[in-house]
Amino acid sequence: MLQLQQEIQRNVAAALDEDLGYHSGDITAALIPATQQAQARVICREDCVVAGAAWVDEVFRQLGNRVQVTWQVKDGEAVKADSTLFELQGPARDILTGERAALNFLQSLSGTATVTATYVMALKGTKTRILDTRKTLPGLRAAQKYAVTCGGGKNHRVGLFDAFLIKENHILACGSIANAVAAARQQHPGKPVEVEVESLDELNQALTAGSDIIMLDNFGLEDIRNAVSINQGRCKLEVSGNVTVEALPALAATDVDYISSGALTKHVRAVDLSMRIIKTW
């Protein structure tokens, strides 16, 4: 949580820097008297799963902590169109200066949470769980992975440091799957070792090498079923490659453990949000 809080602070600082011209300021908000106070409301224009409240709070904290943010919903909550998400009260200048940065975070992360929830619902009643990938927006890895959990999904490795994912080019460079897995065990014995395979022959090699997880890359349904039969529960099996929400029930029916999809984070469609000032004084 400490690492995530540090990421939130960095995310928001970068967003405000680019919006304010690296401290040049908000010249439009400066048209408003400094003493003007306002109350504003943010609503969603469509059904969604909310994610990103901490980023909104941090925007107004970094703008001087003069705006009170009152939330009507929580991260991970499914809300209907036209629901009020939160209200703001404080200096009108600060509210308007922080509006776009705050909504950018909230609508993008809620978009990730919402599509993840759709995938999770398609897997309901099965043992298979949906995983994200490293195909995230640059600089927003932790934010999007957090949003995936708000939608009910699970995180794959965070980066290149916390788990091995031995892919085709790693295998070629190491000489074999066995060599790559052995080197991983020797160098970092506590780290999970996953191997991506492209055939049932490679699956057998990865099983013999003692992989913790095996990713079945672009396998057809029949080959996935064969892989599950060959595996016999010896390690976790993950399916990946051009996964669509429509394909999820059939994939889960093969009894694999995980399905990973880059679409959760790379094909982001922001949720439609709107802020309106409802009172000034």
Side-chain angles (χ1 to χ4, degrees):
M1 290 304 296
L2 175 61
Q3 182 181 354
L4 181 59
Q5 184 57 43
Q6 291 171 342
E7 286 295 319
I8 293 169
Q9 292 171 2
R10 283 193 285 266
N11 292 161
V12 169
L16 291 176
D17 276 346
E18 68 182 3
D19 223 10
L20 295 172
Y22 298 87
H23 307 293
S24 294
D26 181 351
I27 61 175
T28 311
L31 301 175
I32 303 166
T35 57
Q36 182 82 57
Q37 300 290 299
Q39 183 179 359
R41 178 177 295 138
V42 172
I43 66 172
C44 59
R45 296 294 189 186
E46 57 185 310
D47 295 355
C48 71
V49 175
V50 178
W55 284 260
V56 173
D57 292 343
E58 182 65 17
V59 166
F60 293 103
R61 189 193 72 79
Q62 290 194 23
L63 285 174
N65 212 24
R66 292 178 292 268
V67 174
Q68 179 181 347
V69 185
T70 304
W71 286 92
Q72 307 298 322
V73 298
K74 296 179 180 179
D75 280 1
E77 185 175 341
V79 299
K80 294 295 185 181
D82 299 322
S83 297
T84 297
L85 302 184
F86 63 95
E87 292 189 352
L88 301 166
Q89 183 169 312
R93 285 185 177 183
D94 290 358
I95 290 174
L96 293 171
T97 295
E99 174 187 2
R100 180 42 50 204
L103 296 192
N104 280 350
F105 283 118
L106 189 63
Q107 66 187 24
S108 297
L109 299 184
S110 295
T112 293
T114 301
V115 71
T116 300
T118 302
Y119 278 59
V120 169
M121 182 59 64
L123 294 173
K124 188 175 181 179
T126 75
K127 79 165 199 176
T128 307
R129 296 295 175 260
I130 192 72
L131 299 175
D132 55 24
T133 71
R134 287 170 45 244
K135 296 174 182 177
T136 52
L137 299 175
L140 291 177
R141 172 75 52 80
Q144 286 195 288
K145 283 185 171 285
Y146 167 78
V148 165
T149 67
C150 290
K154 291 185 174 296
N155 296 147
H156 207 286
R157 59 177 182 161
V158 175
L160 298 174
F161 58 91
D162 57 324
F164 290 98
L165 179 48
I166 299 168
K167 300 166 75 73
E168 176 186 14
N169 288 328
H170 301 104
I171 295 167
L172 288 171
C174 289
S176 69
I177 290 174
N179 288 348
V181 172
R185 297 293 189 202
Q186 181 179 18
Q187 292 178 22
H188 295 282
K191 303 285 188 183
V193 178
E194 180 170 1
V195 177
E196 179 184 87
V197 302
E198 298 179 346
S199 67
L200 293 176
D201 177 59
E202 288 187 347
L203 168 71
N204 281 310
Q205 293 178 48
L207 286 170
T208 300
S211 307
D212 297 311
I213 309 171
I214 297 175
M215 179 189 292
L216 310 175
D217 183 43
N218 286 300
F219 274 42
L221 282 174
E222 187 60 32
D223 280 343
I224 294 173
R225 284 190 282 267
N226 287 336
V228 171
S229 177
I230 291 168
N231 181 47
Q232 295 184 338
R234 283 179 283 176
C235 73
K236 299 293 186 182
L237 292 181
E238 173 186 340
V239 170
S240 185
N242 299 312
V243 172
T244 64
V245 69
E246 293 80 13
L248 292 176
L251 291 171
T254 65
D255 216 27
V256 292
D257 300 284
Y258 304 117
I259 298 172
S260 58
S261 175
L264 304 183
T265 52
K266 70 173 182 174
H267 298 159
V268 180
R269 188 188 69 79
V271 170
D272 188 6
L273 305 180
S274 177
M275 189 191 89
R276 289 291 182 270
I277 288 180
I278 56 177
K279 182 180 178 182
T280 60
W281 63 94

